[in-house]
């Protein structure tokens, strides 16, 4: 039997997080604005889509961050961005031939609470005029506790905010100093209480392991503290050090980063602690209280995965607004210009700001479902997916050598076409998913390590 160190050495490769398949590494300029316009025009009048709005601004730049954002302090920059978001919404509605029914709205970033309460209200009022939000079942936002004011919370509550994700990462002052993110637990407590009073019924805390100056003790101390708030959900992400993609990460002292064995211990011990606190593991890196709908979806096999991570959202169409946002249609993904200046120029000129994308073949949709079910359920019945998709299971024969090696190491069990992770193999879930990805080795340098 391989030891943990043996497994880490063998399987700690670069692999996608599989928030989509094909992954963003496969996007190209061959798919663009005209393709997205045609997809919007093909939306059925009865179809309910989801809406994602990207706010690429922060008060400070955290050195670990992998998001598309920048530090901004000029109000006019943010205000004009809101104007252009609504202009982009006009363009989307125009291509769709009328208001699109929206079931879920997500504000991501960056830091959506960089919008003033007045700008938030202007954005939501404008979106309601351009989309049909009458059947909205979820309105979520990613928030920075240190810059979240009581006035913003009250405004968001009045506008119907139902779920909030609070960026916490780690409570150790030494770790916070190493990544330029000072944050007090007292602030998080006040914000959480304020959101509850405002009617936000679901709180998620985003945490991270593998940060500089962080060891197992720091991770567990943070978890013991934040679980006293009893958030409905927690996400525990492994820090991805990719300075070739995010230059500001060069500010991090790499000598202070933990090695693979310590990172593995952080993840393992954190999971054990959260389970002991009553949280149900969901997929790879999420945890939820048993009554939460994410936990219920996981138990029922109804969990999904998109660019916001694990979700209960089963909409076939996701509309992204803002610089760098990604949209999904029935047979394609498209991404807006990542550069804010290019996005502003396109929208200001009355053009959809799609810079790149990828169109999915029937085989892509087959592989995508196999990977999604494995990432969500930790098992997948490949022949059953093939029947649903009208695909040939033998078209995945290229996965067999990797699956055989994973099985030999006790990380998966393969029987009658069903692939299931073992408890020992759970930390290596992305390695199993990558077995089904024929292009994973080509784009290896664009992804974080598995452990």
């Amino acid at each position: 039997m391989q030891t943990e160190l043996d497994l880490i050495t063998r399987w700690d490769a670069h692999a996608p997080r599989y928030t989509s398949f094909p992954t963003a590494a496969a996007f190209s300029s061959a798919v663009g604005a005209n393709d997205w316009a045609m997809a919007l025009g093909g939306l059925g009048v009865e179809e309910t889509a989801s809406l994602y709005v990207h706010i690429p601004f922060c008060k400070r730049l955290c050195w670990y961050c992998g998001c598309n954002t920048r530090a901004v302090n000029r109000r006019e920059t943010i205000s004009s961005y809101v104007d252009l978001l609504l202009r982009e919404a006009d363009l989307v509605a125009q291509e769709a031939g009328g208001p699109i029914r929206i079931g879920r709205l997500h504000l991501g970033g960056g830091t959506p609470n960089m919008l003033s309460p007045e700008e938030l209200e202007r954005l939501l009022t404008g979106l309601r005029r351009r989309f049909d939000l009458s059947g909205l079942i979820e309105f979520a936002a990613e928030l920075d506790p240190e810059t979240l004011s009581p006035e913003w919370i009250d405004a968001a509550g009045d506008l119907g905010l139902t779920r909030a994700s609070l960026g916490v990462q780690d409570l150790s002052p030494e770790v916070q100093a190493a990544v330029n993110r000072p944050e007090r637990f007292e602030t998080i407590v006040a914000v959480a209480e304020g959101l509850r009073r405002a009617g936000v019924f679901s709180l998620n805390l985003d945490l991270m392991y593998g940060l500089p100056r962080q060891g197992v003790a720091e991770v567990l101390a943070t978890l013991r503290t934040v679980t006293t708030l009893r958030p409905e959900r927690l996400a525990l992400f492994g820090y991805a050090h990719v300075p070739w993609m995010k230059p500001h990460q060069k500010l991090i002292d790499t000598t202070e980063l933990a090695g693979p064995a310590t990172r593995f211990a952080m993840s393992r011990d954190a999971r054990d602690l959260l389970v002991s606190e009553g949280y149900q593991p969901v997929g790879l890196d999420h945890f939820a209280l048993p009554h939460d709908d994410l936990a219920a979806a996981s138990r029922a096999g109804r969990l999904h995965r998109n660019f916001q991570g694990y979700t209960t959202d089963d909409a076939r169409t996701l509309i992204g607004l803002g610089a760098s946002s990604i949209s999904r249609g029935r047979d394609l993904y498209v991404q807006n210009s990542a550069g804010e200046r290019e996005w502003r120029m396109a929208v200001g000129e009355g053009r959809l700001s799609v810079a790149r994308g990828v169109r999915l073949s029937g085989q892509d949709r087959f592989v995508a479902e196999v990977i999604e079910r494995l990432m969500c359920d930790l098992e997948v019945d490949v022949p059953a997916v093939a029947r649903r998709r009208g695909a040939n299971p033998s078209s995945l024969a290229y996965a067999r050598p990797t699956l055989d090696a994973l099985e030999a190491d006790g990380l998966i069990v393969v029987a009658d076409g069903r692939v299931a992770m073992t408890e020992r193999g759970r930390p290596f879930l992305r390695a199993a998913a990558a077995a089904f990805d024929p292009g994973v080795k080509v784009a290896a340098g664009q992804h974080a390590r598995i452990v």
Side-chain angles (χ1 to χ4, degrees):
M1 178 70 73
Q2 301 273 6
T3 67
E4 281 187 356
L5 185 57
D6 291 334
L7 294 174
I8 293 167
T9 301
R10 186 170 170 83
W11 294 106
D12 186 25
H14 293 274
R17 296 185 188 274
Y18 290 111
T19 52
S20 73
F21 180 86
T23 68
F27 292 10
S28 78
S29 59
V31 175
N34 289 338
D35 300 281
W36 181 226
M38 291 180 62
L40 289 169
L43 285 176
V45 293
E46 298 300 319
E47 182 171 350
T48 298
S50 296
L51 182 62
Y52 172 81
V53 182
H54 189 73
I55 311 296
F57 308 122
C58 292
K59 188 175 181 63
R60 59 193 173 184
L61 186 60
C62 303
W63 297 342
Y64 62 81
C65 184
C67 301
N68 189 302
T69 188
R70 64 187 180 101
V72 171
N73 292 306
R74 298 176 60 196
R75 293 264 31 116
E76 57 268 30
T77 299
I78 301 174
S79 180
S80 63
Y81 186 85
V82 173
D83 293 338
L84 287 171
L85 283 172
L86 296 178
R87 180 80 179 274
E88 186 178 21
D90 283 329
L91 296 173
V92 168
Q94 177 181 322
E95 296 294 348
I100 301 169
R101 183 181 300 174
I102 300 297
R104 299 172 191 264
L105 169 62
H106 188 103
L107 304 185
T111 305
N113 53 296
M114 283 294 289
L115 303 183
S116 68
E118 295 75 21
E119 289 161 345
L120 177 67
E121 183 174 2
R122 177 155 59 90
L123 175 62
L124 266 292
T125 300
L127 292 176
R128 287 194 172 103
R129 289 173 179 165
R130 292 159 173 85
F131 297 98
D132 178 3
L133 271 61
S134 61
L136 199 67
I137 60 175
E138 181 178 88
F139 169 24
E142 302 167 12
L143 307 173
D144 179 359
E146 283 292 326
T147 59
L148 185 57
S149 69
E151 293 77 18
W152 202 97
I153 292 174
D154 290 341
D158 291 342
L159 292 166
L161 186 70
T162 60
R163 184 165 61 82
S165 289
L166 303 178
V168 175
Q169 319 315 336
D170 191 280
L171 295 177
S172 163
E174 290 76 19
V175 175
Q176 292 177 359
V179 295
N180 193 39
R181 189 186 174 89
E183 191 164 52
R184 297 166 298 163
F185 181 60
E186 292 76 15
T187 300
I188 297 167
V189 171
V191 164
E193 292 175 347
L195 288 166
R196 299 275 196 206
R197 287 194 299 269
V200 177
F201 63 81
S202 180
L203 291 181
N204 172 77
L205 300 185
D206 285 335
L207 306 163
M208 193 168 283
Y209 68 90
L211 294 170
R213 304 181 192 171
Q214 189 186 47
V216 174
E218 284 74 21
V219 172
L220 297 184
T222 292
L223 289 176
R224 291 189 184 98
T225 301
V226 299
T227 51
T228 62
L229 298 176
R230 303 306 288 170
E232 280 71 22
R233 304 178 186 179
L234 297 110
L236 181 64
F237 302 113
Y239 168 60
H241 191 64
V242 288
W244 56 91
M245 295 175 61
K246 298 296 177 180
H248 56 265
Q249 290 187 351
K250 294 176 182 177
L251 297 168
I252 287 178
D253 183 352
T254 56
T255 66
E256 296 181 333
L257 293 173
T262 302
R263 284 174 60 99
F264 186 91
M266 291 176 184
S267 176
R268 178 199 60 210
D269 293 358
R271 180 178 180 275
D272 291 345
L273 187 151
L274 288 172
V275 169
S276 73
E277 289 289 341
Y279 285 88
Q280 174 186 319
V282 175
L284 176 65
D285 46 23
H286 283 49
F287 300 83
L289 291 175
H291 69 266
D292 185 79
D293 61 351
L294 195 71
S298 178
R299 293 193 298 271
R302 293 183 288 101
L303 193 65
H304 292 280
R305 191 157 172 82
N306 64 20
F307 290 97
Q308 284 76 61
Y310 287 107
T311 178
T312 59
D313 187 358
D314 60 357
R316 291 182 296 180
T317 299
L318 170 66
I319 296 168
L321 301 180
S324 80
S325 64
I326 295 177
S327 301
R328 182 187 66 231
R330 296 183 185 183
D331 65 350
L332 85 171
Y333 289 103
V334 294
Q335 183 174 26
N336 281 352
S337 298
E340 185 188 331
R341 178 181 299 178
E342 291 78 11
W343 174 84
R344 285 178 180 266
M345 183 179 298
V347 176
E349 294 174 353
R351 296 183 287 112
L352 292 173
S353 179
V354 174
R356 61 187 195 132
V358 64
R359 189 170 291 281
L360 279 67
S361 66
Q363 179 69 9
D364 288 335
R365 289 191 288 272
F366 170 41
V367 175
E369 185 174 347
V370 168
I371 290 177
E372 183 181 41
R373 296 298 5 121
L374 185 59
M375 290 293 296
C376 291
D377 304 335
L378 278 77
E379 64 177 28
V380 59
D381 186 336
V382 175
V385 176
R387 288 192 293 272
R388 285 196 297 272
R389 293 288 175 181
N392 186 347
S394 65
S395 66
L396 302 183
Y398 58 84
R400 193 71 213 195
T402 302
L403 296 178
D404 287 344
L406 287 163
E407 187 169 35
D409 283 346
L411 305 183
I412 64 171
V413 174
V414 181
D416 299 322
R418 180 184 294 272
V419 179
M421 305 302 301
T422 65
E423 191 61 29
R424 180 180 176 85
R426 190 178 190 123
F428 303 96
L429 175 59
R430 287 163 57 206
F436 296 101
D437 181 354
V440 67
K441 292 183 179 179
V442 175
Q446 302 182 46
H447 305 297
R449 301 194 75 89
I450 290 172
V451 174

